[in-house]
Amino acid sequence: MSAPNKSYDPVEVEALKPEAIDRARDEALAAIAAADSLDALREVKVAHSGDRSPLALANREIGALPPHAKADAGKRVGAARGAVGKALGQRQEELEAERDERVLVEEAVDVTLPHDRQPAGARHPLTTLMERIEDVFVAMGYEVAEGTEAETEWFNFDALNIGPDHPARTTQDTFFVAGASPQADGAKNAGKDAAEESGVVLRTHTSPVQARALLSRELPVYVICPGRVFRTDELDATHTPVFHQVELIAIDEGLTMADLKGTLDHMVRELFGADMSTRLRPSYFPFTEPSAEMDMVCYVCRGASVGDPQRPCRTCSSEGWIELGGCGMVNPRVLRACGVDPDQYSGFAFGFGIERMLMFRHNVEDMRDMVEGDVRFTRPFGTEI
Ligand code: PHE
């Protein structure tokens, strides 16, 4: 500022006036007390004791004073800087102690917890969906039946009025089990495929349970059968050679198609919501007469996409309906094959694929996800035990 000068009076230098030093000190002490975090304190430190702080600037002025004035000014500035430095140190300690205490609580690790606990597994969504469907029917008084996965051709086809010439009996759809009957050797000699002659197949649908239920139970029969079925399809986004169906059969006196329709409506309402309904389209199955395809209102758009190009629905292709499975009144020929008098008893059956239902119920786009066993697929469905 100015060269040493005998007549220089420190009290005349603005920055060295006692009030200015006291003010700078008091401001610093107030800012330190108000700092509520270590970051805030760091800023206070720069502002009030850094190189460019008022007290540091005052300190620099001392050098320019005449020797007799230096001691006095130096003492005053030194005392103020000392007080600020001490307060900074104290506040630093307080804030560090607070932080340490907080970290101890927030980051506490309970070392007594078991370290080797296995993560909880989740059941496959196909299993939980099948059980949910079972629950709907058990609540209506149905029994759950199982049947067998390796099935005789008689139950899988003949008993269901699927004659020897029906396309479903060719190797196109069916896995034949080799060597299960004594005829197999003879068949080989005759140039036939041993497996085709064994008389045993992997069931291609759950419908053989219709015949099994009728043969093994007293009438009336109300049975639901969820289970695995097999067809010779390649695994791709919409096919898998092993999949699941649910079969339902009800045989009693006086059952009509109206009972079938009411049962289907009840099922989709229980599974998809109270505003759901079904429709039946004429179709053909050898084991039901009359037969129908059953559709349910599209689970995604609930019919709103029909005729509205602004709101297309990918799930139902804007048709408003999704095909769920097949159904119909059990063919009297099936009843007769199982020893039931069709003049006294009638009833209905329906069957549908669980994979398909899971696909549109949960927006699963690729069936392969359901068979690969990756927990990243099953986990989002929840860990239902
Ligand atoms: N079994 C038939 C299928 O696999 C479905 C069906 C079951 C049809 C019961 C009618 C009655 O396609």
Side-chain angles (χ1 to χ4, degrees):
M1 192 182 230
S2 47
N5 178 343
K6 297 260 182 222
S7 62
Y8 191 91
D9 181 350
V11 176
E12 293 303 313
V13 177
E14 197 57 36
L16 289 172
K17 280 188 177 163
E19 316 86 81
I21 291 170
D22 286 353
R23 197 183 331 113
R25 181 199 60 204
D26 292 346
E27 278 174 10
L29 295 179
I32 291 164
D36 58 1
S37 70
L38 287 164
D39 284 343
L41 190 65
R42 210 166 296 127
E43 280 172 28
V44 169
K45 191 171 178 179
V46 171
H48 292 280
S49 82
D51 286 349
R52 318 200 57 178
S53 64
L55 286 175
L57 294 176
N59 198 43
R60 237 170 279 151
E61 298 284 353
I62 296 172
L65 295 178
H68 71 274
K70 277 187 178 162
D72 187 44
K75 218 191 301 169
R76 250 182 290 134
V77 174
R81 296 183 88 201
V84 170
K86 194 167 155 216
L88 275 171
Q90 270 175 4
R91 189 74 190 127
Q92 175 90 13
E93 270 176 38
E94 281 169 19
L95 289 170
E96 278 174 3
E98 271 174 33
R99 178 203 56 197
D100 291 349
E101 215 165 291
R102 206 171 46 240
V103 165
L104 274 182
V105 175
E106 283 172 5
E107 297 178 14
V109 173
D110 184 351
V111 293
T112 66
L113 284 175
H115 68 283
D116 58 350
R117 190 179 285 167
Q118 295 290 328
R123 287 190 315 158
H124 199 280
L126 286 172
T127 309
T128 45
L129 179 56
M130 273 196 295
E131 286 187 6
R132 202 155 289 161
I133 297 165
E134 280 173 30
D135 286 348
V136 172
F137 286 97
V138 167
M140 287 194 276
Y142 282 74
E143 246 184 283
V144 180
E146 283 210 319
T148 67
E149 292 176 359
E151 185 58 281
T152 61
E153 283 188 72
W154 190 83
F155 274 114
N156 197 76
F157 299 125
D158 300 77
L160 297 171
N161 196 32
I162 303 174
D165 297 329
H166 194 282
R169 278 183 91 119
T170 71
T171 41
Q172 299 258 312
D173 301 311
T174 312
F175 287 111
F176 289 86
V177 179
S181 100
Q183 297 156 10
D185 278 346
K188 209 179 277 169
N189 292 341
K192 289 190 181 166
D193 186 314
E196 271 188 63
E197 290 298 312
S198 73
V200 178
V201 299
L202 294 182
R203 66 177 173 192
T204 55
H205 52 175
T206 41
S207 294
V209 175
Q210 292 183 22
R212 286 188 172 273
L214 289 173
L215 288 171
S216 62
R217 284 176 169 74
E218 296 293 320
L219 291 163
V221 162
Y222 289 87
V223 160
I224 175 163
C225 170
R228 211 174 279 146
V229 301
F230 309 83
R231 289 185 196 175
T232 54
D233 286 323
E234 293 292 330
L235 180 63
D236 64 25
T238 52
H239 295 88
T240 142
V242 182
F243 58 105
H244 298 77
Q245 287 188 337
V246 166
E247 185 84 11
L248 187 112
I249 177 162
I251 304 291
D252 205 339
E253 290 183 47
L255 288 184
T256 69
M257 205 117 180
D259 298 300
L260 166 63
K261 178 75 165 71
T263 307
L264 294 174
D265 281 344
H266 177 73
M267 178 185 79
V268 294
R269 284 186 191 126
E270 288 290 308
L271 293 174
F272 292 93
D275 55 340
M276 281 288 144
S277 61
T278 61
R279 74 173 180 186
L280 300 181
R281 279 180 292 118
S283 184
Y284 171 76
F285 297 100
F287 38 93
T288 45
E289 183 58 39
S291 303
E293 299 290 346
M294 59 196 243
D295 297 344
M296 60 175 265
V297 170
C298 174
Y299 177 58
V300 176
C301 73
R302 312 229 160 196
S305 66
V306 182
D308 184 353
Q310 303 301 315
R311 303 169 64 186
C313 178
R314 280 169 60 208
T315 306
C316 65
S317 309
S318 300
E319 294 195 351
W321 296 94
I322 310 174
E323 187 181 316
L324 200 58
C327 62
M329 300 306 289
V330 176
N331 193 317
R333 298 179 68 150
V334 174
L335 296 180
R336 238 175 263 124
C338 298
V340 176
D341 178 3
D343 291 330
Q344 191 185 353
Y345 288 98
S346 61
F348 55 82
F350 66 86
F352 56 90
I354 305 294
E355 276 78 359
R356 250 179 75 75
M357 186 184 262
L358 191 71
M359 279 178 108
F360 53 74
R361 195 170 188 264
H362 294 279
N363 283 329
V364 179
E365 288 187 347
D366 196 322
M367 247 188 216
R368 284 168 290 198
D369 288 335
M370 299 180 200
V371 296
E372 281 167 355
D374 190 328
V375 290
R376 286 172 299 180
F377 170 72
T378 48
R379 217 176 262 140
F381 290 90
T383 45
E384 265 180 78
I385 304 299

